[in-house]
Amino acid sequence: MDISFILINAVVVACIYGLIAVAVSITWSSLGLINLGYGFVFSFAGYGAWLTAIYVTKMPLVVMAAGILSGALCGVLICLVVFIPLHDKPNFTTRGMIGTLAISLIGSQALLMQFGPRAKALPEFFGNWSFKIGGTVLTSDRIGIVVCASAMLAFVVLWMKGSRRGLEIRAMMMNPHAASIVGIGIRRTGIYVMAVTGAMAGLAAVLLSQTYYVAPFSGLTPLIKGVSIALCGGLGSVQGAVIAAVILGLTEAATSTLLGGQYVLITQFLVIICILIVRPRGISGLLDKAREQ
C-alpha cells in the first residue's frame, strides 16, 4: 500500500469538497440557511466556464474566473429567489431547505434541457507537467487544485477578517440578533454571503470538472458530500468542516485504493455515522469546550 499516494489523493479530495463544506457552514452560521442549492451552483458554474472556453477564450485564468463569477452570480440568484422572501417567515429553516432544493432540481433540469445530457470538457488549467518526490509522482492538476483551493479559502478568511462586509458576516455568525440591533441588514449581508460561498462552489466546480467533466446533474454528488462534511464537522463550524474534509478525504482515498471506487460512499457514510453517534453535534463539538458549558 502506497501511503504517500493515499495522502496526496486525500488532500486533493479534501480541498475540493472542503470548499463546498465551508460554504455550507458559513451560510448556515450567518444566515441560518441550509443551502441545498449548491448542486445547481456547481453545475451552473461549470457551464459558465465551458461557455467561456468555447466562445471567448481558452486561457486558463479567464475560464477559471468565469466559473467563479458564474458561481457567485448563481448564489446571488438563490439569495434573491429563496432567502430574502423567506428569511423572516415561520419555519424558515425547513422552508429554506425545500426552496433551495427546488431551485437545485429545477435549475439542473433547465441545464439538461438547454445543453443536453452529454458531458462537456473544460481545457486543462495546469498543463501536463509532473515531478517526483521520493517515490511519489506529483502531477500538475493535483498541485494546481491544492494551491487554488487553499488560496480561495485563505482569501475568504482574510476578507472576512479585514473588510467591513466580512466583519458584518462574522457578526451575523456570532449573534444575528445583536448584529441586526446595531444596523447590520440581513438582506444585504445575505447577498454578500451567497455571492462569496457561490464563488467557492464555482471554484470547486471548475477544479473537479478537470476530472469528471461538466454535466447538468454533476453537482449532485459534490452537494451530498459537502453537506455531509459540514454536518460531520459540526454545522456552522468552519474549523470542523476543514477537519471533516480531511478525514473523509482520507477515507475516500484509502477506500478507492484498497477496495475500489464503488465502495467510497459506503465507507464515507459509515465514518460519518460513527462520528455523529459519538458526537451528534459533529467534530467541532469535540474541539470546542465552550459547547459543553
Side-chain angles (χ1 to χ4, degrees):
M1 181 173 62
D2 191 344
I3 299 297
S4 60
F5 178 79
I6 292 176
L7 291 176
I8 291 171
N9 284 344
V11 171
V12 171
V13 170
C15 285
I16 293 176
Y17 294 128
L19 283 173
I20 301 179
V22 170
V24 171
S25 291
I26 292 175
T27 305
W28 165 254
S29 59
S30 59
L31 305 180
L33 174 68
I34 300 178
N35 186 1
L36 299 183
Y38 285 119
F40 173 54
V41 174
F42 190 96
S43 300
F44 185 88
Y47 278 105
W50 177 76
L51 289 172
T52 301
I54 295 297
Y55 296 107
V56 182
T57 178
K58 293 184 182 293
M59 289 181 59
L61 288 178
V62 176
V63 175
M64 188 178 295
I68 294 172
L69 290 175
S70 297
L73 177 63
C74 191
V76 172
L77 175 64
I78 293 175
C79 181
L80 296 176
V81 173
V82 177
F83 174 71
I84 290 179
L86 296 179
H87 80 277
D88 56 351
K89 300 296 189 296
N91 299 320
F92 163 68
T93 301
T94 303
R95 291 186 180 190
M97 288 178 60
I98 295 173
T100 54
L101 179 60
I103 288 289
S104 184
L105 296 175
I106 294 171
S108 296
Q109 188 64 38
L111 292 176
L112 177 63
M113 295 171 63
Q114 178 65 34
F115 298 103
R118 181 173 295 181
K120 316 295 184 182
L122 293 180
E124 293 183 348
F125 294 147
F126 310 111
N128 295 311
W129 52 271
S130 63
F131 64 91
K132 240 183 196 185
I133 297 181
T136 303
V137 177
L138 297 177
T139 58
S140 58
D141 58 335
R142 294 178 178 178
I143 296 173
I145 287 172
V146 173
V147 171
C148 290
S150 301
M152 171 60 87
L153 187 57
F155 169 79
V156 171
V157 171
L158 291 175
W159 178 77
M160 290 180 65
K161 288 184 176 180
S163 70
R164 178 176 179 179
R165 302 306 179 197
L167 292 174
E168 289 178 354
I169 294 173
R170 291 180 65 197
M172 291 290 296
M173 294 172 69
M174 294 177 184
N175 193 323
H177 181 66
S180 64
I181 291 176
V182 297
I184 297 176
I186 189 170
R187 291 180 174 86
R188 182 183 60 190
T189 305
I191 291 176
Y192 289 115
V193 169
M194 297 298 282
V196 170
T197 56
M200 296 173 69
L203 177 61
V206 295
L207 294 178
L208 190 61
S209 296
Q210 292 286 288
T211 304
Y212 294 104
Y213 307 105
V214 178
F217 291 93
S218 60
L220 180 60
T221 298
L223 170 65
I224 293 172
K225 292 189 177 183
V227 173
S228 300
I229 290 171
L231 291 171
C232 185
L235 198 58
S237 170
V238 174
Q239 180 188 31
V242 172
I243 296 172
V246 173
I247 293 175
L248 295 183
L250 284 170
T251 303
E252 178 168 334
T255 302
S256 298
T257 302
L258 301 177
L259 301 178
Q262 66 270 30
Y263 297 103
V264 166
L265 287 178
I266 297 174
T267 55
Q268 282 187 331
F269 279 101
L270 285 175
V271 170
I272 292 171
I273 290 170
C274 291
I275 291 174
L276 293 180
I277 287 175
V278 174
R279 191 61 172 173
R281 289 175 293 186
I283 293 173
S284 62
L286 293 171
L287 301 177
D288 189 359
K289 294 182 180 180
R291 291 174 180 252
E292 296 295 336
Q293 297 176 358

